[in-house]
Amino acid sequence: MLAAVSACALAAPASAAGPCAGKDLRPAASNLDTIRAATLCLLNQQRAAYGLNALTQNPRLTDASNAYSQEMIQRRFFAHVDPDGTALAQRLYSFGYLVDTMPDWLAGENIAWAQGSLSTPFNVVDAWMHSPDHRANILEARFREIGLGVALGSPVGDPPDQAVTYTTDFGEVDGAAPATANGQIEDSSATDSAPADSRSASAGRRARAAARRAARKICARTRTASTRSARLKASKRCAAARARARALSRR
């Protein structure tokens, strides 16, 4: 699995985009579906400009993307590997987008968080397009599907009415399940990207082994927790990690 990531500050938009409804909206609880649709529209505009196929939204990828945006906010981290060691491929296995019977797959991920006026779909997509690694995921010709995760709040603790966290998971699989602040509030944001990761013959075995190692590491913390509250929290994370490992083992 490729593990390199890159980060960039959100730049001011260099040019205006076409008519994607909602592209300049600030995300709020009442408009998240519109925000996701605008983000997809903007990404497909960029792909169309280079003669690439449009991405279609896959519900399993979107479930994985939404869950990851929420996890980064709740657990206060910003990376493609969570504090328990779970990486993109493991997450996509656990949400059922990837399964061991697939002969081939490709996946990639872009993440971002932003505050205030920088949190609109247009500004986030524009920042991704100004970053080589994010741009490479957006313009990867082999991708066919996408998950769009948008959650209110940020990994640095901003309240839901001041910031938003985006996750876009890109995919292409054989046999896929069918789609049924730094500074002032107005100026703070960050983005990160995970390069495309493809399946090798042993990718499923590596994902299962990594999940088991992560579960052992997490569960070991239960024994060293110093307070009842800490032990309870560690026990819950241990149970969740073991459940992920069992889910992967059944694939």
Side-chain angles (χ1 to χ4, degrees):
M1 176 181 293
L2 297 175
V5 296
S6 68
C8 69
L10 197 59
S15 61
C20 287
K23 69 184 178 66
D24 295 317
L25 287 177
R26 287 176 55 172
S30 61
N31 67 8
L32 292 184
D33 286 341
T34 301
I35 296 297
R36 293 185 188 97
T39 303
L40 178 58
C41 175
L42 291 165
L43 292 171
N44 280 333
Q45 277 188 345
Q46 296 292 343
R47 291 175 66 85
Y50 289 87
L52 302 175
N53 60 285
L55 299 170
T56 59
Q57 188 169 180
N58 180 286
R60 295 187 182 188
L61 278 177
T62 289
D63 286 347
S65 298
N66 274 323
Y68 200 59
S69 287
Q70 292 164 5
E71 182 183 2
M72 286 191 289
I73 292 168
Q74 292 166 1
R75 302 184 68 183
R76 302 287 180 88
F77 74 96
F78 185 67
H80 295 283
V81 179
D82 73 15
D84 300 331
T86 304
L88 174 61
Q90 293 166 260
R91 286 186 267 120
L92 298 188
Y93 272 107
S94 66
F95 276 89
Y97 181 72
L98 299 180
V99 296
D100 273 353
T101 56
M102 290 173 179
D104 194 21
W105 56 259
L106 182 74
E109 180 173 82
N110 286 350
I111 58 178
W113 68 266
Q115 296 172 324
S117 62
L118 294 181
S119 66
T120 67
F122 175 69
N123 283 338
V124 170
V125 172
D126 187 76
W128 282 337
M129 288 300 294
H130 280 81
S131 166
D133 289 336
H134 301 83
R135 181 186 179 95
N137 277 339
I138 293 169
L139 300 182
E140 169 54 63
R142 292 170 293 176
F143 286 142
R144 292 291 182 270
E145 299 176 307
I146 190 172
L148 297 146
V150 183
L152 301 178
S154 79
V156 298
D158 294 298
D161 62 343
Q162 293 184 9
V164 65
T165 299
Y166 288 76
T167 300
T168 52
D169 288 332
F170 303 87
E172 160 63 5
V173 297
D174 286 346
T180 5
N182 300 328
Q184 297 180 349
I185 287 176
E186 308 301 11
D187 299 321
S188 183
S189 63
T191 65
D192 202 356
S193 69
D197 179 20
S198 59
R199 179 187 179 94
S200 68
S202 60
R205 290 192 297 274
R206 291 201 306 271
R208 289 192 293 271
R212 289 193 295 268
R213 288 195 300 271
R216 287 195 296 269
K217 182 177 179 180
I218 294 163
C219 293
R221 297 174 192 160
T222 305
R223 297 189 293 272
T224 60
S226 58
T227 66
R228 184 175 182 276
S229 175
R231 284 194 297 274
L232 180 60
K233 187 177 297 185
S235 294
K236 289 181 179 179
R237 289 181 178 173
C238 174
R242 285 174 170 170
R244 282 196 295 268
R246 285 196 298 271
L248 288 173
S249 295
R250 290 194 294 267
R251 299 189 186 284

